[in-house]
Amino acid sequence: MKKLIVLMSMMALLLTACGGNAGTNTPSAATADEPPAAAADEPPAAEPVELAVFAAASMTETMDQIIELYKSEAPEVTVVPTYDSSGSLLTQIQEGAECDVFISAAPKQMNTLGEEGGLLEGTRLDLLENKVTLAVPEGNPKGIETFDQLAELLERGGVLLAMGNSDVPVGQYTQKIFEYYGLDEAALADKQVLTYGSNVKEVTTQVSESTVDCGIIYSTDAFSAGLNVVDSATAEMCGQIIYPAAVLNLSLHPSEAQAFLNFLSSDGAKAVFESVGFTVLT
């Protein structure tokens, strides 16, 4: 009888020990597979986005800097710029080029796109203002100092002026200056006192390389090229130089395009624009 009692006691102790080990030392399968709470709360990584931005050639240097700034603001967004004359950019868009944001150097091209239904409603804004200037090469060999003097020299045939083509905003502003002074562009071309550029950068290069006596370009391009500006056109001579911007209605990434457009009015972007002579209007 005593042996039986001892044996039963040992079995009871053994069962108690096994039950305790099962309840306290072995984690359940569900607990082992469950991820940490912090990991479960992390937001999903943003999908990479590529934005096509078409901007007037006169914005090349400033936009390159602003795109660099935007990398820290939206690292998932890659901005791919295309720079050219506003007329050329408009033609590319009309022919089906992919573009999310368009910035032109004059309202004319943006108006055309708007009339064709190409702009995303409510996104258009007047972003910048520039100045049309008379720039001369190093040393100013012809001693040109004012637009008034230029008009006289053009009439006499004593100067070679570089200007933009008629489909380029800077060229259209130059044509308005000719009208202000009563100059006939065709007659001047016959006198061989004019040379042309397909965008403002080409005109600027002609002045920088001293292949012409002067050129009519934007103040920002003169600043970037280190050229001497001798005179600035007034609003009476050629109107205001407004740069409108908008998101296109065929943009594949309208939200990201609008965010980039908003960034162009930020303090950081404004500082870049103003450093070369733009006036930020927003």
Side-chain angles (χ1 to χ4, degrees), residues 146-157:
T146 65
F147 276 108
D148 290 348
Q149 180 188 8
L150 172 65
E152 295 175 0
L153 290 170
L154 288 171
E155 287 277 31
R156 297 203 307 262

Side-chain angles (χ1 to χ4, degrees), residues 132-137 144 147 150 154 159-165 170-171 173-175 177-178 185 192-218 227:
V132 168
T133 61
L134 179 58
V136 296
I144 301 168
F147 276 108
L150 172 65
L154 288 171
V159 69
L160 183 59
L161 168 71
M163 62 177 284
N165 291 339
V170 74
Y173 292 126
T174 302
Q175 290 176 326
I177 293 172
F178 287 168
E185 182 183 352
Q192 298 184 341
V193 297
L194 301 178
T195 67
Y196 292 87
S198 62
N199 59 52
V200 70
K201 293 301 182 187
E202 290 189 4
V203 179
T204 302
T205 297
Q206 292 181 53
V207 181
S208 296
E209 295 178 351
S210 299
T211 58
V212 294
D213 299 312
C214 57
I216 297 179
I217 60 177
Y218 299 120
L227 292 175

Side-chain angles (χ1 to χ4, degrees), residues 30 68 75 80 95 103 139-140 164 180 190 195 213 227 241 247 252 274 278:
E68 283 298 313
V80 181
E95 293 177 349
I103 312 172
N140 192 7
Y180 176 82
D190 288 342
T195 67
D213 299 312
L227 292 175
I241 317 305
V247 176
L252 299 178
E274 291 172 353
F278 279 115

Side-chain angles (χ1 to χ4, degrees), residues 47-51 67 70-71 74-79 256-257 259-260:
E47 291 292 327
V49 170
E50 186 172 285
L51 287 181
I67 288 169
Y70 197 61
K71 289 179 180 179
E76 76 282 3
V77 176
T78 299
V79 178
E256 290 82 359
F260 179 73

Side-chain angles (χ1 to χ4, degrees), residues 240-261:
Q240 276 188 290
I241 317 305
I242 302 298
Y243 285 53
V247 176
L248 301 196
N249 66 2
L250 293 181
S251 170
L252 299 178
H253 309 286
S255 296
E256 290 82 359
Q258 182 64 62
F260 179 73
L261 191 56

